[in-house]
Amino acid sequence: MLKFVATIAKTMINRFKSFVDGRASVFKNFLALGILQGTNFLIPLIIMPYLVSTIGIDSYGVVSFVQVVMIYFFSLTDYGFAITATQEIATNKSDLSKVSKIFSKVVSTKIVLVLFSALSITLLLFVVPDLKEEQLTVILGFALVIGQTSLPTWFFQGMEKMKYITYINLAAKLIFTILIFVFINEKSDYPYVLFFFGLGNLLSGVFGIFYAIRNYDITFRLATVREVQSELKKGWGLFVANFSITSYMNSNLFILKLFATNEIVGYYSVAEKIVMAIRQLLSVFSQAIFPHICQLVHDSYSKVVLFFKQVYIPFTLVIILVCISIFLFSEEVIGIFAASEVEGINNLLQILVFVPVIVCLNIFPSQLLLAYNLRRAYTRVMIFGSVLNVILNIALASQFIAKGTALSVIITESFILVGLYLIVRKGKSMIS
């Protein structure tokens, strides 16, 4: 009997090893991306209890509000390169001459977009009263845009070599964490929170760029005006789609600020950040498998479907279990991050915790549409979802405040889920 059990166990282990070995680059990429991007949300999550207790829930709400503004500008500077540049690098990674051209054009375009963002945020300081009141927080917070933009994650993701930039990122985040605990000691220190966060990313990004140039024989040159225009034109559709995603993910807090106090904004921010930590895991998973999907589409549709069945379905089941656990033990989870504010946050978290499940179900149709270059259909769904989210936010937040905001997110994500699957079903003949 023991011999039989041992034989079965050995067979299962060998099959699992064979499965992993066949997809080693995907698993390594997922692990590296998980560490890289996970720290961008986990570390703020870890220091959240300290910040809430030190600067107060109202100032934490202000920091979160300004952070949302910066995320909009980061969406502009990213301009869809997380998809377009990654896809180009992945399909040309054996040709270093082409890789150098792609690298130079993307970095040059990002520089132009950062300068445009700096000019835009300067103008906003004069016309938006809420931003003018927090002028120092906004100016220092722009470091977040510069830092996020400098990260060459798209390059290493396309090359499926994430290990080294992951190490650099961890070191930078450690510096950020130390700066927070050393310099954020009282309520009046809150304007510096986003500055330290951006500084950590900037250090990571600069080292990452130099590492890429040195170790992959990248010949960098500033792109011409025509090349930058070409990049902007090429990525326009995805930028609109991604900006729509950013809008429906972040306009929630922005619109809530119109109807709620800083304290309530702080409650929603804490619940949202807990959920965003899970959503970041979904983003990492999606980004990690995308280069592999891009390669599989050149083989056959059946291979793509098989890959999703073997990797995506188990991952989805894990996410569902995690979300159910958080729902059941929501008070205990909140107690870890904001013990004194459990009552104000609990109901919001119990609504928002189902968002990652819906988003996870979106990964399959999204990857298919992007990998098969059906970006226009993908963009349309995201634009409609963004518009719907703004309308729902205004209508529900004005009546139910933070709960209305949370409900609008659930409804919007459900709409996007249905829309994407309907498009995949309609265009299945084109894909397969």
Side-chain angles (χ1 to χ4, degrees):
M1 182 65 180
L2 289 175
K3 186 176 180 181
F4 174 75
V5 173
T7 303
I8 295 296
K10 185 177 179 181
T11 302
M12 291 178 68
I13 291 171
N14 287 336
R15 286 185 178 180
F16 179 76
K17 186 176 182 299
S18 177
F19 173 78
V20 172
D21 289 343
R23 298 160 180 81
S25 62
V26 175
F27 281 93
K28 288 179 181 178
N29 208 30
F30 174 72
L31 181 61
L33 270 169
I35 296 172
L36 175 63
Q37 296 201 24
T39 52
N40 289 338
F41 277 85
L42 287 178
I43 288 183
L45 205 61
I46 290 169
I47 65 173
M48 187 194 300
Y50 176 76
L51 288 176
V52 171
S53 63
T54 303
I55 65 177
I57 194 71
D58 54 340
S59 294
Y60 188 79
V62 172
V63 171
S64 298
F65 171 70
V66 175
Q67 185 177 18
V68 164
V69 176
M70 296 308 157
I71 289 173
Y72 276 104
F73 284 101
F74 170 62
S75 179
L76 170 62
T77 59
D78 176 71
Y79 207 78
F81 291 127
I83 299 295
T84 56
T86 296
Q87 192 170 16
E88 284 190 79
I89 295 290
T91 54
N92 294 286
K93 61 183 179 182
S94 59
D95 188 338
L96 290 181
S97 176
K98 287 186 178 180
V99 169
S100 290
K101 290 179 181 178
I102 296 167
F103 185 91
S104 297
K105 288 190 291 184
V106 171
V107 171
S108 298
T109 306
K110 280 177 169 283
I111 292 172
V112 172
L113 292 171
V114 166
L115 293 175
F116 177 77
S117 297
L119 176 62
S120 300
I121 198 70
T122 302
L123 294 174
L124 286 175
L125 284 173
F126 291 99
V127 298
V128 180
D130 284 338
L131 294 180
K132 192 173 183 179
E133 288 179 10
E134 298 294 339
Q135 186 171 341
L136 179 60
T137 310
V138 173
I139 293 172
L140 294 176
F142 192 71
L144 189 63
V145 177
I146 300 173
Q148 287 284 93
T149 304
S150 68
L151 286 169
T153 308
W154 48 272
F155 172 80
F156 290 98
Q157 185 185 338
M159 297 295 290
E160 296 190 84
K161 299 289 184 181
M162 294 292 299
K163 182 170 64 174
Y164 299 108
I165 194 174
T166 301
Y167 295 153
I168 295 169
N169 184 73
L170 284 173
K173 291 299 184 296
L174 179 61
I175 294 171
F176 156 66
T177 305
I178 293 172
L179 289 172
I180 289 293
F181 284 110
V182 171
F183 293 103
I184 306 299
N185 299 313
E186 55 188 43
K187 191 178 183 68
S188 60
D189 294 330
Y190 74 89
Y192 300 95
V193 173
L194 295 180
F195 173 74
F196 292 143
F197 192 9
L199 183 61
N201 284 335
L202 180 59
L203 291 173
S204 178
V206 170
F207 277 109
I209 290 172
F210 277 108
Y211 182 87
I213 292 173
R214 181 177 178 182
N215 290 275
Y216 290 92
D217 296 324
I218 300 295
T219 303
F220 177 78
R221 64 169 180 80
L222 285 174
T224 64
V225 173
R226 182 170 294 180
E227 286 175 329
V228 171
Q229 289 175 337
S230 176
E231 287 297 307
L232 293 175
K233 184 177 180 180
K234 180 172 57 181
W236 172 254
L238 268 176
F239 162 68
V240 173
N242 288 342
F243 195 81
S244 298
I245 295 172
T246 299
S247 295
Y248 80 71
M249 286 179 64
N250 296 284
S251 62
N252 309 316
L253 195 145
F254 195 87
I255 294 173
L256 178 60
K257 182 73 167 59
L258 301 175
F259 304 102
T261 63
N262 286 335
E263 185 178 22
I264 293 176
V265 172
Y267 290 154
Y268 184 85
S269 298
V270 172
E272 185 181 58
K273 278 186 169 56
I274 294 171
V275 172
M276 285 299 289
I278 307 172
R279 288 196 65 161
Q280 189 65 16
L281 181 62
L282 305 182
S283 176
V284 168
F285 175 78
S286 181
Q287 290 180 51
I289 66 174
F290 185 66
H292 192 68
I293 296 297
C294 291
Q295 294 173 25
L296 289 178
V297 296
H298 293 292
D299 297 332
S300 68
Y301 177 72
S302 59
K303 286 187 177 181
V304 175
V305 174
L306 179 62
F307 177 79
F308 274 115
K309 285 181 178 178
Q310 293 176 331
V311 178
Y312 169 68
I313 292 177
F315 177 80
T316 302
L317 293 175
V318 170
I319 293 299
I320 291 172
L321 288 174
V322 169
C323 291
I324 290 174
S325 300
I326 292 176
F327 177 83
L328 295 174
F329 301 100
S330 57
E331 290 188 2
E332 287 78 4
V333 172
I334 296 168
I336 297 172
F337 302 107
S340 61
E341 310 292 346
V342 170
E343 187 177 346
I345 302 170
N346 188 52
N347 290 335
L348 297 174
L349 180 60
Q350 287 187 324
I351 297 172
L352 289 172
V353 77
F354 291 104
V355 172
V357 175
I358 304 172
V359 174
C360 192
L361 296 174
N362 285 340
I363 292 176
F364 176 66
S366 297
Q367 295 269 308
L368 283 180
L369 293 174
L370 292 173
Y372 283 95
N373 288 318
L374 299 175
R375 295 173 183 171
R376 187 172 295 179
Y378 173 81
T379 301
R380 282 201 303 268
V381 174
M382 293 304 167
I383 291 173
F384 284 133
S386 177
V387 173
L388 176 65
N389 185 64
V390 171
I391 294 171
L392 288 172
N393 258 295
I394 295 173
L396 297 178
S398 63
Q399 297 297 317
F400 307 106
I401 313 302
K403 285 184 181 179
T405 302
L407 288 171
S408 70
V409 177
I410 292 286
I411 297 171
T412 300
E413 294 291 358
S414 300
F415 168 83
I416 291 171
L417 173 65
V418 174
L420 289 174
Y421 272 101
L422 286 176
I423 290 175
V424 167
R425 185 178 179 181
K426 184 178 180 181
K428 192 174 180 181
S429 58
M430 296 173 59
I431 291 175
S432 55

